[in-house]
Amino acid sequence: MTYINYEKIDRVGVITLDRADKANAVNGPMLDELDEAWSMAAADRDVRVIVVKANGKHFSSGHDMSGSNEALSGEKGAAQSDQSNQLDWKERGLEALYEWESKRYLGYSRRWRDIPKPSIAAVQGACIAGGLMLCWPCDLIVASEDAKFSDPVVRMGIGGVEYHAHTWELGARKAKEMLFTAKSMTAAEALEFGMVNRVVPRDNLLDETMALANEIAQMHPFALAQAKRAVNQTMDIQGFYTALQSVFDIHQTGHGNALAVGGYPILVDLDQMKKTNN
Ligand code: ZN
């Protein structure tokens, strides 16, 4: 794998985002590799707990907006061979985006959330937009004191990222504030709102996360799976699962509008974006 490392430490499957030179911005191949790592951890009976962590200063700067991002370039088959991986929105419009994002954003995040083993995300630095879709599906989140969380995609003409956990993670008012202002929330605020479990000094992030993972790994795996299912099932009965799907469709109307008025899937100043990325 190019963008992801996977290793097993005792009974913990450790998945590492390894694209620090791009602040762990996610592109298609990285998401596919990440899904592969989750699958390996899920399939291995010796793995009792899954940890998702990131190399570098930042957990993830979110969707890769660079020119090399096949997710937004619209070039047919850019660095991809499998037809389902092609995001040829220039030819197929919203249909192509809907298909691509259904699989990689909504589909993957929802699948990771439902894997029947406890998972813990260790988050440091920036966690922006698409980055939230990497840590929110985890059962627990340990944040370092410097962690900052944001979903600024309203600035791009879209109502929020593809995986709408905001309302569940923060409650309605804070979710709206996060989306309306595009501002980032500190780790301390995230703790206060119940979005993260613990806040620890940056230097202790990995040790504290692994200690928590090892503690949980001592428990009976079936009981853990059932405890997880009990909580997730309760949320699903309250509407989490169906809300995710319907808000994903709302998200797509943002892309549809951007395509209609600007000819690009997001409303953005492309020259400015290139400058920011270079
Ligand atoms: Zn999208």
PDB file of all heavy atoms in Angstrom, residues 101 162 251-252 255, ligand 1:
ATOM      1  N   GLU A 101     -18.974   8.827  -4.899  1.00  0.00           N
ATOM      2  CA  GLU A 101     -19.080   9.210  -3.490  1.00  0.00           C
ATOM      3  C   GLU A 101     -19.924   8.225  -2.682  1.00  0.00           C
ATOM      4  O   GLU A 101     -19.689   8.059  -1.481  1.00  0.00           O
ATOM      5  CB  GLU A 101     -19.638  10.630  -3.377  1.00  0.00           C
ATOM      6  CG  GLU A 101     -18.715  11.650  -4.016  1.00  0.00           C
ATOM      7  CD  GLU A 101     -18.996  13.079  -3.589  1.00  0.00           C
ATOM      8  OE1 GLU A 101     -20.036  13.341  -2.948  1.00  0.00           O
ATOM      9  OE2 GLU A 101     -18.162  13.943  -3.907  1.00  0.00           O
ATOM     10  N   GLU A 162     -19.997  14.411   2.996  1.00  0.00           N
ATOM     11  CA  GLU A 162     -20.866  13.342   2.497  1.00  0.00           C
ATOM     12  C   GLU A 162     -21.466  12.481   3.616  1.00  0.00           C
ATOM     13  O   GLU A 162     -22.547  11.902   3.442  1.00  0.00           O
ATOM     14  CB  GLU A 162     -20.083  12.440   1.519  1.00  0.00           C
ATOM     15  CG  GLU A 162     -19.735  13.097   0.184  1.00  0.00           C
ATOM     16  CD  GLU A 162     -18.490  13.987   0.243  1.00  0.00           C
ATOM     17  OE1 GLU A 162     -17.877  14.115   1.332  1.00  0.00           O
ATOM     18  OE2 GLU A 162     -18.135  14.560  -0.808  1.00  0.00           O
ATOM     19  N   HIS A 251     -26.585  16.366   0.075  1.00  0.00           N
ATOM     20  CA  HIS A 251     -25.216  16.741  -0.307  1.00  0.00           C
ATOM     21  C   HIS A 251     -25.071  16.778  -1.840  1.00  0.00           C
ATOM     22  O   HIS A 251     -24.472  17.696  -2.401  1.00  0.00           O
ATOM     23  CB  HIS A 251     -24.235  15.728   0.302  1.00  0.00           C
ATOM     24  CG  HIS A 251     -22.824  15.889  -0.148  1.00  0.00           C
ATOM     25  ND1 HIS A 251     -21.917  16.690   0.510  1.00  0.00           N
ATOM     26  CD2 HIS A 251     -22.163  15.370  -1.211  1.00  0.00           C
ATOM     27  CE1 HIS A 251     -20.755  16.650  -0.125  1.00  0.00           C
ATOM     28  NE2 HIS A 251     -20.878  15.855  -1.176  1.00  0.00           N
ATOM     29  N   GLN A 252     -25.644  15.792  -2.491  1.00  0.00           N
ATOM     30  CA  GLN A 252     -25.509  15.717  -3.953  1.00  0.00           C
ATOM     31  C   GLN A 252     -26.212  16.869  -4.664  1.00  0.00           C
ATOM     32  O   GLN A 252     -25.815  17.250  -5.766  1.00  0.00           O
ATOM     33  CB  GLN A 252     -26.035  14.364  -4.470  1.00  0.00           C
ATOM     34  CG  GLN A 252     -25.221  13.166  -3.985  1.00  0.00           C
ATOM     35  CD  GLN A 252     -23.755  13.232  -4.388  1.00  0.00           C
ATOM     36  OE1 GLN A 252     -23.409  13.741  -5.448  1.00  0.00           O
ATOM     37  NE2 GLN A 252     -22.875  12.729  -3.533  1.00  0.00           N
ATOM     38  N   HIS A 255     -23.614  19.485  -5.126  1.00  0.00           N
ATOM     39  CA  HIS A 255     -22.775  19.236  -6.310  1.00  0.00           C
ATOM     40  C   HIS A 255     -23.548  19.553  -7.590  1.00  0.00           C
ATOM     41  O   HIS A 255     -22.996  20.122  -8.528  1.00  0.00           O
ATOM     42  CB  HIS A 255     -22.334  17.767  -6.350  1.00  0.00           C
ATOM     43  CG  HIS A 255     -21.253  17.428  -5.367  1.00  0.00           C
ATOM     44  ND1 HIS A 255     -20.125  18.195  -5.182  1.00  0.00           N
ATOM     45  CD2 HIS A 255     -21.116  16.361  -4.519  1.00  0.00           C
ATOM     46  CE1 HIS A 255     -19.353  17.625  -4.255  1.00  0.00           C
ATOM     47  NE2 HIS A 255     -19.934  16.522  -3.835  1.00  0.00           N
TER      48      HIS A 255
HETATM   49 ZN    ZN B   1     -19.318  15.275  -2.375  1.00  0.00          ZN
END
